[in-house]
Each structure stands twice: as structure tokens, then as C-alpha cells.
Amino acid sequence: MTTWTTRRQLLKGAGVLAAAAAAAPILSACQPTTTSKSGSGKVVVMTDPNEFNDDDRKTLEDATKLKIEIVASDLTRLYAMFAAGNPPDVFRVQAAGVPQYISRKMVKNLQPYFANSKLLKPDDLAPANNFYKWDGKVVGKGDLYGMVKDWSPDYTLFAYTKAFDDAGVKVPSDSTPLTYDELRALANKVNRKTAGKRVYWGFVHSNNDQWIDRTAMNMLAEKGQTLYAADFSKLNISGNPEALKVIRYLYDLAADGVQQTPTDPSPNWMGADFNNGQVAMLQYGYWFSAMAESDITKGKTVFLPAPTWSGVRRDPTMTATGWVVSAQTKDPDAAWAVFEQYMGGKPALDRAKSGWGVPGLKSLYKEMPQQSAFQQQVQKVLQGELSNADFVLQFNPYLSEQAFSTSWVKNLEPALKGSITFDKFVQNIETEINAAIVDGKRIVGN
Amino acid sequence: MEGVHRMTGAAQVLDRPVARVAPWRRRGLRRAVTFYLLISPWLIGFVLLAAIPLVMAFLMSLSNYDGLNLEYVQFVGLENYLRAFTDPDAQHALGRTLLLMAVVVPFSLALQLALALLVNQRIRFTSLFRTIFYLPYVIPVVAAAWVWKIFVDPTGGLLNALLGVAGAAVNVRWLVEYPTVVLALLTIWGAAGGGMVVFLAGLQGIPAEYREAAMIDGANRLQVTRHITLPLLSPVIFFNLVTGIIATLQILVQPMLLAPGILGLSPGTVPPRDNYLYAVHAYLEIFVKQLFGYGSALLWLLFGVVLALTLVLFKTSRRWVFYGIEP
Amino acid sequence: MSRRRSTATDATLRYLPVLVAATAFALPLAWVVVTSLKKQSEFGSSLLPAAPQLANYQLALSLLDFMKFATNSLVLSSSYALIVVMVSALVGYGFARHRAPGRGRLFMLVLATLMVPNLVLFVPQFVIFAKLGLTNTYWPWILWALGGSPFAIFLFRQFFATFPRELDDAAEVDGAGPLRIFFQIYLPSAAPALAASAIFMFLWVWGDYLYPILLLNGDNTTLAVKMSSAYVDPRGNPLQTVTMAGVVLYVLPLIAFFAAANRFIVRGIVTTGLKG
């Protein structure tokens, strides 16, 4: 009986194998593509499929004679690929992550490649590319590790004139920048809610608080101040009166109810609310001009210069979205070829003409669209802003991109509901971020 | 239950040469071999697919791994575990999670059993009713969260409209003012069908003769349920209880998806303080602060809590779960 | 005493609770259908659509290659469910009906794997499948299925444990081995549990969205992943109404599937005729 059992056991095992074999043809329909790529002429690019479609891929493949595999941007996947020792050859990042990636030796120094490139000449690079420099001490100095796909001076405003008309308030001038204090007063005047329903948000900014640290950093920089200590070892708000003023200002905007908050949310992102005619003033860069005019907002949208915190006005990018090459790539030349074509070839020209951002190369500036009256008004303001855009933000190499904003949002909800005070709100953020800095420093052995 | 003969010698048998074993003991050995052959697919799968990742995940919790670069990883011992005990967010999150469990699990279990009993009656349209109760379960969690977000929307949602039918307009912002209520409703609604089907399978496994015999003896429907159905169903109740607790304590994406604001899941999303659950905290520590080591330690501690609860349940189960054979 | 009660009262008692419960369950779902018929501009502003917008359904099918990704989901979910249910039933049977030293501890190990939060295994699992060259294929799911699912093993163990002991004794007297007993007696009587767990296992893959994002690329990924990002207008604004139409389309095949499985559960009971 034992042997009988064993035989049946084997048969059963065979049955499972048969089931697997039956599944195999179905499986082969989706071919197992090997992930080893050295010498295979294949370049793996992790990017956002919404801004890099199949046509873009074909254009790049034709130009470089290389095969390109697209992996959709996903933080989990990126970490996992690094952990498996097989990161994508090229990946999409934002400025806030750059110092961290460089200081952890994850991305390749592209300076030698730029030096020899015919498409990407150092003199031609737009100022936003300085966000891809990090010398171990400050952002904006040292070798180049990547490049923006496009960029915008990001502190500019889009105003919906109907909201101002309804409130009987004059639309601000597009030649004289507002101060942030004037902006807050104005936001409270045009802000409108009737019977619990939102009519107009007065002033929305910082991509629904996800970029709140970037807003604060630029305001502080006007007064020569920084959010973090010079060596990035500490977040100091409560001990720095200027920092406290900025944080208090941003907190007051939320408490005023002129912007979307965790206690007064919108089901849409800020841009959609603007398109729906529900935002009086929206702080986004030039790129948004490509979509600012909807059926509702057409003819009623004005582009305004960045407001000032009454110091030295500056209007750099706060995203600097672009590409880097991973340090572990097995075929750096192939990765560079794809990178170079995307940044300086036909795809770059197409992007410049689309108006979805200021090109990463100055020589392409002239390609930006200027047909409609709105586009011309936008260009007029933009040209003024470009002269104030040659600055960077000092992102902390010990912190992840969203550490500060996540802590902000987490503590803002109880603060607005009244369960913690403003002082406690500040203290919680300081404690949490300073602990994260300690962790980040220890990881790189500092 | 009949007395089950115990194979007292089985453990010792394995240590001895087969030839010297008495016949009844050889039978025990053969049974043991049969058992191991039967469970071998799982055993092999466990060793190859689970054991290695589990060991890796545990080692991660003893390190300061940041998910970015293996070059800088350091072994930090139990530091991550000790840290959890001084982390106010972890404690807040654990409290909220246990509270949610204490509300959702008993209510879910009762509802699932009630639904199973209802659709197990000899009534018309059972197929339709079963499908209605089951449907929420088949909606993927991402879509289910959208469904509730839209259902409780202050202006465009049905809930406020229904509550407002009687009188003045109701303008409750459910996701801001009562986030945990919505989360609990979503969880109960979404899980009901799954539990109901398991109960239904159990109910249909109970021989009709048992109930009929009791009815003939003069028992009413309630008594039959209390004294026949429930005891015979107890292994299934136990199953739904244990899996319900495990699932509730691990809830992660629902509170993130229910966070007020845009539909979708991104690492920057922070649920309201009331829905700041334990797994959410671990997720944010891992993917926002890049503390893979600390986040893993948090999750292993959660595993410890779940395991302890389950062990307690297993101990008590001897008193109230009745098996056809001693397990 | 129930015989003396009027049939009307009896019917009310039978139907009222189930009708109330069904209404409560159906309301959020009905709202999905209503929302799916609204214009995007009516979303959040008016309660009912002025005129039903069937165009939302056309958009839901065309904004992504719906049929292609539905097929991906179907192939992946059903291969996984088919294999994992058979394996788990066998393993569950082993745990329920066969004694051996170490069984209790091994069963706790099964349960323990169920309790490990998935999140903690994400990176290690990816690393292993990447090293095996299996990312971007469906093999991880087939391998998981071949090892059985702790949840389904637990379910079958509980289910088989309710069977009367006389069943094995009688069969063993006839000289049947454990596998013959499993295939000829346990498996046929387990139709309800098989159906229930097949649905669970199918849905685990059909609705999951974290593992496909981690392990698959754009083209062979599942409908759940695609749906979560595809329903936007050309400006990238979310289209909630089209999303709800997508949800309706996403659930329809499952309703058909469940209706069929439901009949199967009932028939399984009737035809075995073994119980009791």
C-alpha cells in the first residue's frame, strides 16, 4: 500500500506538472523578456508613460538604433530594481531627489559625455540644469549628473479674471509683481463659498502642499536664509525668526480657507479646479499655460509674475523634472545615446514646440508657441521671469523628496481641527524631520 | 465526538529503524510519510518562495537599509524594534488599528453569518440576492474606494441626498469629519460577500437530516440554529474570525485611497489622523522616509501582534470549535 | 406553530430582512451606475444625469485597450486560481485528515505566512524573481500557485475537518489509499469549498494591483493597474464618470462568473448525495 501511495503521489505530481505545462502556452503569449542587457543593445528607461509614449520610443529607437524598454515610473519598483542590482539604465527624477542620488553614488557623472556632445553644449544649457549639479556640499556646483527634459520658473501665477470681477476687485498687473502679503489679502477678497459649496478658491499653491518645502525655501532664499542648516544637518524653524515667519504665513493661508487643505479638500488636482473656473489664483509654472485655457477659462486667464517675499525676487524652477543615468548601467554609452537624443534631438524640439515647459536648451527657447493672444501675454511675462530664474533650491541630501511635505500634511490636519497648536505643529515637524536627517546622515556614514 | 485514538509513539518511531518497530507503529510511520507527501507542494513552495524572502525581510529589519544603495547598509541589531516603542505615531496608529479591528471584525462576522443564513433559506431569487451581497467583494479595492468616495461625496453623493430627504439639506463632509466611519463601512461592505460564501459553503455541508431531526423533536428555528447549526459551523466561524482579524490589522491601501482629495495612490498621500493605521505608518516610513529597516521592523512587530492574537484564539478554540475529527 | 401562521406573515418574515440588506448593499453600487451615466460636468454638482451618457462606456473601452488588458487579467487570474485550488485542497486534506509528528507546528507555519504583511516581502520577492529572470512574466504567479495558498489551505483544512470520521474508516476498510480517498470522496464533496476558494483566488489576482505594478511592465500588466491611471481627459484631469463606467464593465464579467459558480455550488451539494 505504501508503494501504491507513492505511485499515486508521483502521478499527482505529474498532474501538477501537466497543469503547469497546459498553462505554459498561455504564458508564452507574453514572452519572458530577459532582463540581462549587457551588449544586447537594449536600454531600459523608467519614465512616466503619460509624457513618453510609444511614438517617442520609436523616434528614439530610430535615431539611436537601440532597442528601448519602458518601465512605468514607480518608486517601489525603482527601489526594488536597485536592490536586485539591476536598476533601469535611465530614469526620470525631480530636482529634490538629485543630491541624494548623487551622494549615494546611484547616478552616473555625465560631465565627460557632455564635454564631447555635439547636441548638448555646456553654453546652451538652461539654468535649471544646475539642479543636476552637486559637489558634495551645495546644489548647483560641480559636475553635471543629468538634465531637465524641460522646466519653468515655477512661482508664477495664473489668475482667473471672472473671480476678480465677481468680487469687484481689480485683476493684478502683469508687470508689477505682488508681495506675498498683498497676495494673501487679495486671496481672501476673491475667495468665495456659498451654502457650503465652493465657488472660488482664493489662492492655491505648492501642488496641494506636496511641494510646500519648495515654496518655503524660495521665500526664505529671498532674504538670504535657508530652511536647513548650511551643512543640511538640521531643520530649524522655531529658532529662526525669518523661517518662522514664512511657515506662519503658509500655515495662515491654510487656516484662512483660501486653499485646499486636508480639512477642506477638492476631489481634483489644482489644475483641474482652475480649468473648472474654481480657482482665482493658481501658482504653477509656464508649463501650465499649455492647458490653462479650458472652455470655461478661455479669454479669462492672465499670467502673472512670481510674487515676492519682499527680498531679492527670484523665480527658479521647483521641479526640474529630467533624466539621469544609473551608475550601475552595463552599457553607459548606449544609455547616453538615448539620453542625448531625448534631450537634444527631435523629441526635444517637439517638446519645445508643444509649449509644455521651457526647453532645457536655450537654443530652443525660440520654438515656444506664440500664436494666440494668451500665448503672447504669457511669453511677455515669461521673458521677464527668465532673467530671475538662474537660481537653485538647496535640497537636503539626507532627506527623501517627500519627507517634509508628508510631515506637513500629517500635522496640518490635527492643527486645523484644533487638536494641536501652531507651536506644536512646528515642533512636530522639526522633531520628525531632524530624526530623519540623523537617519539619512548615518546611512552615508556622516 | 468519538474518542480519537492517539498515536502516542509516532515521534519516537521516526528515530528507530523500521524493521524493529511493532506493526501498529509501522502504521504510524506510514501515516506520517503520507502526511508529508500530501503537504509537500506547500512545503517545497514555502522553502523556495517564502523562506528566502522572509529571511531577507527579517535581516532588513535589523539594518538601516534605505532602499537606495546596498553599499551603505549597516547592521543595527534590535535598534529598529526598540525605536517603535518610543515612536508616538506608531502608538497612535496601533491604537486606531486595534479600535478598527474591535469594531469591524465582530460586526462583519455577525453580518456575514446572517447573510449566509438569509440566502440559505428556501426563498425565491436566492441567486440574485447572493450576487448582490457578493458583488462588493469582487470589486477591486481601488475601485471600491472610488465607489465610496463618490457615494459619500458632500454635494454629488447619494448618502447626503438620502439623509436630506426628510428635511433640510444635509451637507456632511464624511471623509473629513467621520473618516473612520466610512473606512469601517467600506471594509464591512467589501468583505461581507467573501465571508458569506464561506459560511454558505459550511452551511451546505451540514446534513439536512440533522436539522430535520431536531425540528421533528419539536425544536424551533432559533433553537436549531443555536444548538445544531452554530456548533457544526464553528470551524468555519473560526476560519472567518482568524482571517478577518489578520486582514483588518493589515489594512493599508483603503485609508490612503479614502484620504480626502484626488483619487489615487501616491506615496505623498497622508490619510486623516483618525485613519492613520499601523500599516499606513509603516508604508510611509518605508517609502517616504526611506526607512526600509525601521518600516520592516514595524511590520514584523505587527506580525507579532497578529500571531499572538491568533495563538490566543487557537487556545480558546478548543472550548468552542467542534471538529468532525480532532485536528 | 409556524404552520398556523398566515402565509403572508411568513413571507414577510422570510423576505423583509433579505430585502432590506440587499437594498443597503446595492445602494453604493447603484450609485456607481448612476454616476457612470452623468456628464463629467454634472459630477459633484447635480444628483441625477439630465440625459444618460452612454458615451462614457465607449470612452471606458477605448481610453485603454480594454479587451487586451481584460484578457491579460483573465488568463493570469484563472491559471492561478485553477492550480492553486487543486494544490491547496490536497494540502488542506493532508492537514485535516492525516496525523504526523510536527503537524501542529507546520500548520502554525502555514497560518504564520498568512500573517506576514505583504509589504515587508515586496523588495525581497522582487529581488528573487529578478535574479531568476522572471520579472515581466506570469511565472511568479504560477510558482506561487504550485506552492498552494495559505488562505486556501486553511479554508480546506477547516472544511475537511468537519467531515465525519467514519468516512475514512469505511474507505480504508475497502482498501483505498489516502489519495484515492481524497479524489473519490473528499474532492467531490468539497464542491462548495472548491467554488468558494476558486473565486477567492481568482479575485486575489483579478483585483490585485500592487504585485502587477512591481513585477510586470506596461504591455502585459492587468486591467486593475491600467484602469487606475487611464481614465483621464487629454489634459490629464481625472474623469470620475468614465472611471465609474469602467468599474461597471470591470465587474460585469465577474457577475456572470459568480452566477455560474453559484449554480455549481448548489449542484455540487445535490449530486454528491454523500453527506449525512
Side-chain angles (χ1 to χ4, degrees):
Chain A
M1 203 160 139
T2 313
T3 52
W4 183 84
T5 309
T6 315
R7 200 164 59 241
R8 288 302 298 256
Q9 187 64 34
L10 283 171
L11 282 172
K12 189 245 129 207
V16 172
L17 285 178
I26 313 170
L27 288 167
S28 63
C30 47
Q31 293 158 356
T33 43
T34 53
T35 36
S36 86
K37 50 190 190 274
S38 63
S40 65
K42 192 177 78 177
V43 176
V44 178
V45 180
M46 179 180 267
T47 188
D48 183 348
N50 290 325
E51 64 186 31
F52 188 88
N53 58 28
D54 256 4
D55 293 338
D56 296 327
R57 183 173 59 81
K58 285 191 194 95
T59 312
L60 280 190
E61 282 184 340
D62 290 345
T64 58
K65 305 281 177 276
L66 291 160
K67 205 175 150 20
I68 297 171
E69 185 183 322
I70 302 300
V71 180
S73 282
D74 179 71
L75 212 54
T76 318
R77 182 85 180 255
L78 182 68
Y79 291 159
M81 289 173 92
F82 266 101
N86 203 5
D89 299 289
V90 178
F91 60 99
R92 177 191 193 268
V93 296
Q94 285 203 347
V98 173
Q100 192 184 39
Y101 290 133
I102 300 174
S103 62
R104 296 194 188 166
K105 300 175 192 162
M106 295 167 69
V107 292
K108 200 165 181 54
N109 184 342
L110 297 177
Q111 194 68 36
Y113 286 97
F114 275 104
N116 293 318
S117 174
K118 292 195 176 65
L119 288 174
L120 310 172
K121 303 202 180 73
D123 293 350
D124 195 21
L125 294 176
N129 292 299
N130 290 331
F131 276 92
Y132 286 81
K133 292 177 180 168
W134 166 257
D135 66 356
K137 290 203 170 79
V138 288
V139 178
K141 294 232 171 79
D143 290 346
L144 256 179
Y145 283 79
M147 193 177 156
V148 293
K149 71 173 178 68
D150 45 42
W151 64 289
S152 304
D154 276 321
Y155 297 87
T156 47
L157 301 172
F158 289 85
Y160 178 47
T161 55
K162 186 167 181 293
F164 288 83
D165 297 346
D166 288 356
V169 179
K170 225 176 107 225
V171 181
S173 145
D174 70 352
S175 50
T176 317
L178 291 166
T179 68
Y180 273 101
D181 286 332
E182 289 165 352
L183 178 59
R184 184 178 162 205
L186 205 51
N188 276 291
K189 277 186 203 152
V190 291
N191 194 56
R192 185 180 290 188
K193 215 172 173 179
T194 48
K197 278 198 183 186
R198 177 61 65 171
V199 184
Y200 299 121
W201 304 96
F203 171 48
V204 295
H205 60 93
S206 305
N207 205 29
N208 280 327
D209 285 357
Q210 292 215 21
W211 300 337
I212 193 77
D213 50 336
R214 309 177 191 186
T215 306
M217 284 161 105
N218 198 50
M219 289 164 80
L220 276 167
E222 282 200 20
K223 298 265 173 86
Q225 300 274 333
T226 52
L227 192 56
Y228 304 103
D231 62 355
F232 300 105
S233 63
K234 212 168 164 11
L235 168 72
N236 185 5
I237 299 170
S238 49
N240 177 356
E242 284 296 331
L244 198 59
K245 248 196 267 176
V246 167
I247 296 298
R248 179 83 220 191
Y249 174 86
L250 293 171
Y251 176 85
D252 285 342
L253 279 180
D256 286 349
V258 298
Q259 66 164 77
Q260 298 150 4
T261 62
T263 55
D264 193 4
S266 159
N268 293 312
W269 70 290
M270 303 162 24
D273 285 333
F274 187 86
N275 286 156
N276 291 339
Q278 290 181 306
V279 175
M281 287 180 285
L282 170 77
Q283 191 166 44
Y284 264 147
Y286 159 76
W287 62 270
F288 186 73
S289 70
M291 64 187 295
E293 290 194 303
S294 68
D295 293 344
I296 299 169
T297 57
K298 201 166 173 56
K300 296 169 193 151
T301 304
V302 182
F303 190 51
L304 303 177
T308 175
W309 188 240
S310 307
V312 182
R313 195 172 77 90
R314 37 179 279 156
D315 191 6
T317 177
M318 61 169 114
T319 54
T321 307
W323 281 8
V324 290
V325 174
S326 67
Q328 289 95 323
T329 177
K330 293 178 184 78
D331 194 347
D333 293 347
W336 169 260
V338 172
F339 179 98
E340 187 185 34
Q341 275 300 322
Y342 182 65
M343 295 302 178
K346 186 172 174 296
L349 182 65
D350 291 345
R351 286 200 303 279
K353 285 180 177 165
S354 73
W356 283 95
V358 179
L361 296 173
K362 290 187 224 163
S363 55
L364 293 174
Y365 280 11
K366 60 181 184 301
E367 306 291 343
M368 286 187 275
Q370 326 203 15
Q371 284 85 35
S372 72
F374 177 60
Q375 283 170 343
Q376 285 160 13
Q377 191 265 329
V378 167
Q379 280 298 323
K380 190 190 89 182
V381 175
L382 178 65
Q383 291 309 319
E385 293 306 286
L386 285 174
S387 59
N388 284 312
D390 196 357
F391 298 97
V392 292
L393 301 172
Q394 293 297 329
F395 288 110
N396 194 317
Y398 306 119
L399 284 178
S400 73
E401 289 182 34
Q402 278 160 329
F404 187 94
S405 58
T406 305
S407 183
W408 174 279
V409 175
K410 189 162 78 182
N411 287 293
L412 187 60
E413 194 230 5
L416 292 177
K417 280 187 171 173
S419 39
I420 57 173
T421 61
F422 172 75
D423 290 343
K424 179 74 179 152
F425 167 75
V426 172
Q427 191 197 331
N428 282 356
I429 296 176
E430 277 183 338
T431 310
E432 200 173 334
I433 295 303
N434 282 327
I437 291 175
V438 171
D439 290 321
K441 282 184 72 129
R442 201 167 66 160
I443 282 168
V444 291
N446 290 352
Chain B
M1 304 292 132
E2 277 179 73
V4 180
H5 84 260
R6 300 189 171 270
M7 278 174 280
T8 41
Q12 296 96 305
V13 166
L14 281 173
D15 298 326
R16 293 183 194 178
V18 177
R20 286 172 57 192
V21 178
W24 68 269
R25 283 185 170 172
R26 215 182 297 142
R27 188 175 135 89
L29 174 64
R30 206 184 60 226
R31 285 187 159 240
V33 171
T34 308
F35 167 76
Y36 279 97
L37 284 174
L38 285 171
I39 67 154
S40 60
W42 168 76
L43 206 53
I44 295 168
F46 175 79
V47 172
L48 295 183
L49 289 175
I52 301 170
L54 284 168
V55 170
M56 286 166 73
F58 184 65
L59 288 177
M60 197 153 89
S61 76
L62 301 175
S63 78
N64 69 345
Y65 180 52
D66 66 341
L68 295 176
N69 199 328
L70 288 166
E71 193 176 325
Y72 296 109
V73 174
Q74 294 161 12
F75 178 76
V76 298
L78 292 176
E79 191 189 300
N80 288 327
Y81 289 89
L82 298 175
R83 181 179 186 161
F85 291 93
T86 55
D87 178 353
D89 276 348
Q91 282 151 21
H92 166 83
L94 184 64
R96 296 304 302 180
T97 310
L98 291 175
L99 178 73
L100 186 74
M101 183 197 77
V103 174
V104 164
V105 172
F107 192 83
S108 276
L109 216 57
L111 180 70
Q112 290 162 359
L113 183 58
L115 291 180
L117 289 169
L118 283 177
V119 297
N120 200 36
Q121 301 177 96
R122 290 209 181 87
I123 53 171
R124 301 226 257 159
F125 313 116
T126 46
S127 189
L128 175 71
F129 288 128
R130 285 178 193 180
T131 307
I132 289 175
F133 295 137
Y134 196 70
L135 261 180
Y137 184 77
V138 311
I139 299 179
V141 58
V142 179
W146 290 344
V147 169
W148 275 84
K149 243 180 150 164
I150 283 166
F151 186 64
V152 304
D153 188 81
T155 47
L158 184 62
L159 189 57
N160 276 350
L162 285 178
L163 293 174
V165 164
V170 174
N171 206 1
V172 180
R173 295 175 308 154
W174 292 94
L175 291 172
V176 172
E177 290 161 53
Y178 309 102
T180 310
V181 172
V182 181
L183 179 61
L185 286 174
L186 166 66
T187 312
I188 292 167
W189 177 80
M196 178 197 76
V197 164
V198 174
F199 276 126
L200 205 53
L203 277 176
Q204 303 198 336
I206 297 173
E209 288 84 344
Y210 286 14
R211 271 174 289 182
E212 281 158 17
M215 292 284 232
I216 290 167
D217 288 350
N220 63 29
R221 236 187 263 167
L222 205 65
Q223 286 169 322
V224 171
T225 305
R226 168 81 182 78
H227 295 288
I228 308 280
T229 313
L230 285 184
L232 285 172
L233 214 52
S234 57
V236 180
I237 297 176
F238 183 66
F239 172 84
N240 275 343
L241 177 64
V242 171
T243 52
I245 287 177
I246 293 174
T248 313
L249 289 177
Q250 294 188 10
I251 287 178
L252 164 68
V253 288
Q254 291 89 331
M256 312 259 308
L257 290 165
L258 284 181
I262 308 163
L263 290 176
L265 183 66
S266 76
T269 311
V270 185
R273 203 73 188 141
D274 283 358
N275 281 353
Y276 194 83
L277 301 186
Y278 193 85
V280 172
H281 181 54
Y283 177 89
L284 293 176
E285 291 292 301
I286 291 176
F287 291 110
V288 170
K289 288 208 204 138
Q290 299 169 334
L291 297 176
F292 278 63
Y294 178 52
S296 303
L298 282 173
L299 291 170
W300 281 113
L301 287 171
L302 176 65
F303 169 76
V305 171
V306 180
L307 188 67
L309 273 174
T310 313
L311 282 175
V312 169
L313 281 175
F314 262 83
K315 291 270 184 247
T316 64
S317 75
R318 292 192 188 144
R319 283 192 220 139
W320 63 273
V321 180
F322 305 98
Y323 293 102
I325 182 171
E326 180 150 323
Chain C
M1 61 179 203
S2 60
R3 254 170 281 143
R4 296 195 58 183
R5 208 185 276 149
S6 74
T7 35
T9 327
D10 199 46
T12 314
L13 270 178
R14 274 164 185 269
Y15 283 95
L16 191 66
V18 76
L19 278 172
V20 169
T23 311
F25 267 73
L27 276 179
L29 294 169
W31 203 240
V32 173
V33 179
V34 171
T35 307
S36 77
L37 294 170
K38 286 182 183 176
K39 271 189 198 155
Q40 184 61 30
S41 59
E42 288 170 325
F43 175 76
S45 54
S46 54
L47 208 55
L48 294 171
Q53 303 291 314
L54 288 171
N56 285 343
Y57 284 83
Q58 282 171 349
L59 268 177
L61 287 171
S62 60
L63 277 177
L64 65 158
D65 194 343
F66 195 92
M67 293 323 273
K68 177 181 149 185
F69 292 105
T71 312
N72 284 355
S73 283
L74 194 67
V75 168
L76 188 63
S77 314
S78 36
S79 342
Y80 176 80
L82 202 72
I83 301 170
V84 81
V85 166
M86 291 309 292
V87 173
S88 305
L90 186 78
V91 175
Y93 163 72
F95 274 113
R97 312 302 293 194
H98 293 269
R99 298 189 139 269
R103 182 180 69 164
R105 276 189 211 117
L106 281 173
F107 189 67
M108 275 321 288
L109 199 58
V110 171
L111 285 183
T113 52
L114 189 63
M115 296 169 209
V116 178
N118 273 339
L119 201 55
V120 80
L121 295 176
F122 251 44
V123 172
Q125 280 172 331
F126 181 89
V127 170
I128 285 170
F129 288 124
K131 295 280 182 211
L132 293 173
L134 297 180
T135 51
N136 206 15
T137 74
Y138 292 172
W139 281 108
W141 281 267
I142 300 302
L143 293 177
W144 277 323
L146 288 173
S149 135
F151 179 86
I153 291 171
F154 186 19
L155 182 103
F156 281 110
R157 185 256 195 189
Q158 295 304 91
F159 191 74
F160 289 139
T162 62
F163 285 32
R165 172 154 190 86
E166 296 82 353
L167 218 61
D168 305 79
D169 294 343
E172 273 185 45
V173 169
D174 291 346
L179 276 171
R180 210 169 99 200
I181 297 177
F182 171 71
F183 280 111
Q184 294 192 342
I185 299 175
Y186 280 85
L187 209 52
S189 352
L194 281 171
S197 64
I199 296 170
F200 282 126
M201 296 299 113
F202 180 92
L203 290 173
W204 183 77
V205 178
W206 181 264
D208 178 39
Y209 127 119
L210 294 173
Y211 276 108
I213 284 185
L214 187 70
L215 293 168
L216 299 175
N217 280 2
D219 253 15
N220 60 6
T221 197
T222 58
L223 192 56
V225 174
K226 275 285 159 182
M227 272 184 53
S228 62
S229 64
Y231 294 139
V232 292
D233 73 6
R235 296 157 183 272
N237 296 331
L239 296 167
Q240 289 91 343
T241 53
V242 178
T243 305
M244 288 302 117
V247 169
V248 173
L249 292 171
Y250 188 85
V251 171
L252 271 181
L254 298 178
I255 298 177
F257 178 76
F258 181 66
N262 190 22
R263 270 202 298 281
F264 175 71
I265 295 177
V266 177
R267 202 171 56 228
I269 299 300
V270 176
T271 51
T272 53
L274 194 136
K275 307 311 240 20

